[in-house]
Amino acid sequence: MEVSEILIFTEIALCFLGTLCKDIMAVEPRFDVPIVNITVVAGKTAVLPCSIESLGEFKVVWTDQYSTLLTLAEKRIIDDERMVLDRPHTKDWNLLLHDVKYEDRGRYTCQINTLPIKTKTIELIVLVPPEILDTSSNDLTTKEGDTVTLTCNVTGIPRPTVQWFRKPHADSQEHHKERVGINGEILIIHNVSRYCDGIYECVAFNDVPPAVNRVISVMVEFPPEVWLNNKKMSQSLGKETILECKVTAFPQAVSVWRFENVFLANSLKHRIDIYKDKGHTIILSVRIMNITKEDFGQYSCFASNEFGEDEETMTLLEFNPPTKPRPVTTTEVRIFTTTPKTRSKLKSSEYDDFIPFKRNEGISHNRGNETFVDGLQFGIKCTGAIVRICAPYSMGKSNAGQTSLYYNGKLLISLIILFNFIIDIFYLV
C-alpha cells in the first residue's frame, strides 16, 4: 500500500473521531420543502415557503422575477414594507407578502450562497375578484322602436363571466327577475318596446368572491293606451256612480274624462280622482253625484302625450227595474172529490140500478154516457173527480105511463143523490 493511501485512511479515521471532520466531510445544505406554486387572492397575504436543512454558515436571500434582491439573511433589503421574512422555526426562511397586488404576481426565488448557488423557485399566482368599471352604461331613456345597447365593462383574474337579468321597475307589482340575452359584456335590445323597459342587471363572477353587479334602468317612451272595464253601465235616478278607466303611457301627460265631447272637471256634480297603478299605469275615475236624466249618455276617457293619443267611450244608461208580472186571471173551477169519510163509493150494481137504459143487440153499455134507442138519457155521469147531474129527456108516447112511473121513482133517487152531493160540498167548504 502506498503512503498516500495510508494517509487518506488515517484522515477518515480521525474524522470519525471528530477531528478534521468539518473540513473534510462537511454536509451540504438542502431545501426541505418541495417546489410548489402559491395562489392568493388580491388583497390577502401570500406566504412563500422556504425551509433549509443543514444551512450552516451559508446565507439565504430572496429575489423576485426581475432579480431584485428582496432579503439578505434576516434583513429586508427592499423598501416595500409589505414584504417580511418569517422564521417560525430555525430552518424556515419564509417570505410574507401582505396586501398582495396583481402586479406582485410572478416568480420568486429562495437562494443559498453555496458554490454553485442552490435555488428554489416559487410561482406566485394572484387572483383578482371581478370589478365593474365606471365606463359601463348608466340609466337611460329611449323611444319605442329604437335599438338599445347596454354595456357592462368588467375586469378580474381569471376573466369574469357576465350574465344579464331583467326585472320590472320598483313600482311594479311583479318582483321576479328573468334571465335575458347571452353571456357577455354587451346586451343589445333591437326594436325596443314598452314591454322591454325595467331594471337591467349585469352580474360578473369568476369564482373569486365576491361577485359584483350593476343595475341599469331603461325607460321606454310610448303613446297612451286606454282601457275601460265596461262599455255600458246603468244607474237609477238620484243615485251616484263611479266611472273608471286605465291609462298606460310614458310619459304621462293629459288624461281627462269627457261627457258628450265636453271636458269634465271637479264640481258639485263631478269629482275627478287619479290613482297610481303598477308600472306606467294610472286609474282615472269620475264620480257622478245625484244622477239626473241629463247625465245619461256617452262618456269618453281621453289620454295623450307627445307620442300619440288614445280614447275609449262608454255609455251610462238609466236603470229601470223590471216590473212585477200581472197576475193571471183564471176561472176558478172547484173540483170535488169523494173520500171514504164524506161519501160512500158507489158500487157498480147500484150504478146500474138508477141509470135506465135499453140495450140493443150488438150495442154495449157505455156506463154513464149511454145513448138509448128510445131517446131517453139521464142520470149521473162521473168523470174522474167531477160529478155532474145529467138533464132528463122525454121518452116516446107509446110508453108514456110506464115512463112516468119509472121517471118519478128515479127522480126521487136523483134528488136524494143531489142532496148528499150538496151536503158534501158544505163539508168541504
Side-chain angles (χ1 to χ4, degrees):
M1 179 180 296
E2 296 182 357
V3 177
S4 58
E5 293 178 352
I6 295 175
L7 292 175
I8 293 175
F9 283 112
T10 302
E11 291 178 355
I12 294 174
L14 293 174
C15 179
F16 281 107
L17 294 176
T19 59
L20 301 177
C21 182
K22 181 177 180 180
D23 297 331
I24 298 175
M25 298 188 62
V27 179
E28 289 285 330
R30 59 186 179 85
F31 294 104
D32 188 34
V33 178
I35 298 176
V36 293
N37 293 331
I38 302 299
T39 301
V40 66
V41 177
K44 305 297 183 179
T45 298
V47 179
L48 308 182
C50 184
S51 182
I52 302 173
E53 294 282 354
S54 304
L55 179 61
E57 299 298 330
F58 295 100
K59 305 295 182 182
V60 178
V61 297
W62 276 95
T63 59
D64 62 12
Q65 57 185 333
Y66 306 109
S67 298
T68 302
L69 186 61
L70 305 177
T71 65
L72 174 58
E74 296 183 1
K75 296 181 180 181
R76 184 183 74 244
I77 303 302
I78 194 171
D79 292 334
D80 193 346
E81 295 181 355
R82 297 180 302 132
M83 294 186 181
V84 178
L85 192 67
D86 183 33
R87 299 197 59 194
H89 301 93
T90 303
K91 64 179 181 179
D92 293 333
W93 296 84
N94 301 332
L95 179 64
L96 270 61
L97 181 56
H98 298 287
D99 191 19
V100 175
K101 300 178 181 179
Y102 180 66
E103 293 76 13
D104 297 330
R105 71 191 186 282
R107 182 174 301 174
Y108 291 80
T109 304
C110 180
Q111 301 179 5
I112 306 174
N113 63 341
T114 56
L115 191 62
I117 296 175
K118 293 185 177 182
T119 61
K120 176 185 177 181
T121 302
I122 297 176
E123 188 74 22
L124 177 62
I125 301 173
V126 180
L127 302 179
V128 180
E131 180 182 0
I132 299 177
L133 304 179
D134 293 336
T135 55
S136 302
S137 297
N138 295 312
D139 297 346
L140 58 90
T141 300
T142 185
K143 297 179 182 179
E144 199 169 38
D146 290 348
T147 297
V148 175
T149 301
L150 305 180
T151 60
C152 192
N153 298 323
V154 299
T155 62
I157 303 297
R159 187 70 178 175
T161 299
V162 178
Q163 292 182 345
W164 290 90
F165 298 88
R166 175 193 171 273
K167 62 181 179 180
H169 286 286
D171 57 353
S172 174
Q173 295 180 356
E174 302 176 9
H175 300 289
H176 69 282
K177 66 179 181 180
E178 57 182 351
R179 177 81 180 275
V180 294
I182 60 175
N183 294 345
E185 297 184 26
I186 299 176
L187 176 67
I188 301 177
I189 308 173
H190 298 281
N191 192 24
V192 65
S193 70
R194 67 196 67 184
Y195 307 106
C196 297
D197 70 348
I199 304 298
Y200 287 81
E201 178 184 17
C202 64
V203 179
F205 60 94
N206 62 351
D207 295 329
V208 182
V212 292
N213 69 317
R214 183 185 184 92
V215 294
I216 305 169
S217 175
V218 176
M219 309 289 284
V220 180
E221 298 174 323
F222 59 93
E225 285 184 326
V226 177
W227 287 278
L228 287 174
N229 293 328
N230 301 299
K231 292 293 186 179
K232 290 183 179 181
M233 288 184 63
S234 59
Q235 185 58 281
S236 303
L237 292 173
K239 302 292 185 179
E240 70 175 37
T241 191
I242 298 177
L243 311 181
E244 287 186 347
C245 72
K246 290 186 177 182
V247 178
T248 301
F250 183 76
Q252 290 283 354
V254 177
S255 297
V256 295
W257 276 99
R258 296 192 297 194
F259 175 61
E260 302 295 347
N261 293 325
V262 177
F263 290 101
L264 300 181
N266 287 323
S267 64
L268 295 178
K269 187 68 175 179
H270 304 101
R271 178 179 173 182
I272 310 297
D273 292 306
I274 299 177
Y275 304 96
K276 180 66 176 177
D277 201 16
K278 62 181 180 180
H280 302 299
T281 301
I282 62 171
I283 298 177
L284 183 65
S285 71
V286 54
R287 182 188 298 268
I288 308 171
M289 279 84 74
N290 190 21
I291 293 179
T292 62
K293 287 188 175 294
E294 289 74 17
D295 296 322
F296 298 120
Q298 300 287 332
Y299 288 82
S300 300
C301 182
F302 174 81
S304 68
N305 62 12
E306 58 183 301
F307 301 102
E309 61 183 37
D310 192 19
E311 183 177 13
E312 291 290 336
T313 301
M314 66 177 298
T315 304
L316 181 62
L317 304 171
E318 181 179 358
F319 176 72
N320 294 315
T323 58
K324 295 182 179 180
R326 295 182 179 180
V328 179
T329 303
T330 59
T331 302
E332 183 177 358
V333 178
R334 292 192 178 186
I335 299 175
F336 303 99
T337 60
T338 59
T339 62
K341 293 182 180 180
T342 60
R343 180 170 184 163
S344 299
K345 185 176 180 180
L346 296 177
K347 296 181 180 179
S348 176
S349 59
E350 297 174 346
Y351 185 86
D352 291 337
D353 290 339
F354 68 81
I355 299 182
F357 68 95
K358 284 187 177 182
R359 299 179 186 269
N360 288 331
E361 293 182 3
I363 301 176
S364 62
H365 179 204
N366 183 12
R367 187 169 298 168
N369 191 20
E370 298 85 354
T371 301
F372 305 104
V373 295
D374 55 2
L376 177 63
Q377 181 181 11
F378 67 96
I380 298 175
K381 180 178 181 182
C382 298
T383 57
I386 300 178
V387 179
R388 182 162 61 103
I389 303 299
C390 300
Y393 292 86
S394 63
M395 299 181 63
K397 295 181 179 180
S398 59
N399 298 324
Q402 182 180 359
T403 302
S404 176
L405 179 61
Y406 182 83
Y407 177 79
N408 292 334
K410 294 301 182 179
L411 180 60
L412 179 61
I413 295 174
S414 299
L415 292 175
I416 293 172
I417 294 174
L418 178 61
F419 178 78
N420 290 335
F421 177 76
I422 295 173
I423 295 301
D424 290 341
I425 295 175
F426 176 80
Y427 283 117
L428 289 174
V429 173

